[in-house]
């Protein structure tokens, strides 16, 4: 078990973000989903760690039915925000995008088969393809349902994922093993070794 309260999560993130800066290659990109109400905290954490951050968020507009809340006393949530930045290279150089990409996408809310906050693989693929090359490594330190890793795998990127919730870890592992099995069965690669 672990404490997932907002205060505890902030303590963990404040420790992890400097390590993300440490392991990211110079000039490479970072993306992070966050609650818009906390943008100042997130920007501070990333910039203090050394990242250069875009000062306005990217947006996933969830087309279709908005989330259900108290429908008569609150606005219905219908989008998620995420930040984009980079680790400065020599002279603050950043990597160019491999192709143009918009700052927002409208895609349906996910079914939540793999995780209750599941992100659309289609959207993640667009950002991963824009920010990386084949065989480069994509790191997701909070795997959840492994949508980022599934997107990376489908684009020929290597991936590293970390997940401390054992139920989510098991679901993510099963999802990735199935993707690898299908690719192997179709004759597109060597038999995967799962750790």
């Amino acid at each position: 078990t672990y404490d997932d309260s907002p205060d505890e999560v902030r303590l963990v993130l404040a420790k992890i973000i400097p390590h993300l800066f440490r392991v990211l290659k110079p000039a490479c990109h970072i993306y992070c989903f966050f609650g818009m109400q906390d943008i100042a905290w997130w920007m501070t954490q990333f910039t203090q760690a050394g990242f250069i951050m875009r000062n306005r968020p990217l947006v996933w507009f969830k087309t279709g039915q908005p989330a259900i809340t108290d429908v008569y006393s609150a606005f219905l949530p219908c989008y998620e925000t995420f930040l984009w930045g980079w680790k400065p290279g020599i002279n603050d150089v950043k990597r160019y995008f491999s192709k143009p990409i918009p700052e927002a996408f409208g895609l349906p809310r996910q079914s939540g088969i793999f995780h209750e906050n599941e992100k659309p693989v289609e959207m993640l693929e667009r950002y991963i393809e824009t920010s990386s090359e084949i065989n480069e490594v994509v790191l997701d330190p909070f795997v959840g349902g492994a949508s980022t890793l599934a997107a990376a795998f489908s684009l020929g990127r290597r991936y590293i994922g970390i997940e401390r919730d054992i139920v989510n870890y098991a679901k993510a592992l099963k999802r990735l093993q199935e993707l690898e099995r299908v690719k192997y069965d179709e004759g597109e690669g060597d038999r995967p070794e799962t750790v």
Side-chain angles (χ1 to χ4, degrees):
T1 62
Y2 54 89
D3 183 354
D4 233 358
S5 67
D7 289 340
E8 182 63 24
V9 168
R10 279 187 174 201
L11 289 172
V12 169
L13 289 167
K15 292 176 184 175
I16 289 174
I17 290 171
H19 289 294
L20 296 177
F21 184 83
R22 180 179 56 82
V23 301
L24 189 67
K25 289 182 179 179
C28 288
H29 302 166
I30 187 165
Y31 294 86
C32 179
F33 283 87
F34 73 103
M36 186 63 186
Q37 67 278 10
D38 298 323
I39 190 168
W41 185 88
W42 284 96
M43 291 294 283
T44 298
Q45 297 303 310
F46 280 113
T47 56
Q48 284 180 350
F51 288 103
I52 298 174
M53 302 302 292
R54 181 178 194 256
N55 64 4
R56 60 189 251 178
L58 304 171
V59 176
W60 165 32
F61 176 70
K62 300 175 183 180
T63 59
Q65 179 186 359
I68 302 299
T69 58
D70 184 352
V71 296
Y72 296 105
S73 66
F75 294 102
L76 302 175
C78 62
Y79 70 93
E80 280 191 49
T81 52
F82 51 113
L83 292 172
W84 173 81
W86 71 93
K87 178 177 179 175
I90 296 170
N91 297 321
D92 291 339
V93 169
K94 68 180 173 192
R95 170 184 281 206
Y96 285 110
F97 291 142
S98 64
K99 61 183 185 180
I101 188 164
E103 66 181 5
F105 282 106
L107 292 167
R109 183 181 306 280
Q110 299 304 286
S111 61
I113 294 171
F114 299 104
H115 193 271
E116 61 272 9
N117 296 315
E118 197 171 324
K119 310 298 186 262
V121 171
E122 177 185 353
M123 179 182 68
L124 299 171
E125 284 176 341
R126 292 175 186 176
Y127 288 105
I128 290 169
E129 185 175 37
T130 295
S131 289
S132 66
E133 300 295 330
I134 292 174
N135 287 324
E136 286 189 320
V137 177
V138 173
L139 168 65
D140 186 347
F142 304 98
V143 167
S147 293
T148 300
L149 305 183
F153 178 78
S154 74
L155 293 168
R157 275 58 170 178
R158 298 175 187 277
Y159 58 80
I160 297 171
I162 302 165
E163 178 56 56
R164 71 177 178 175
D165 181 285
I166 194 156
V167 173
N168 288 330
Y169 170 80
K171 286 182 187 178
L173 184 60
K174 184 175 179 181
R175 180 182 192 179
L176 296 168
Q177 287 172 330
E178 180 60 18
L179 288 173
E180 290 176 346
R181 186 196 61 75
V182 167
K183 185 172 183 176
Y184 173 74
D185 288 351
E186 292 173 355
E188 293 184 28
D190 297 329
R191 181 174 291 281
E193 293 182 29
T194 304
V195 179

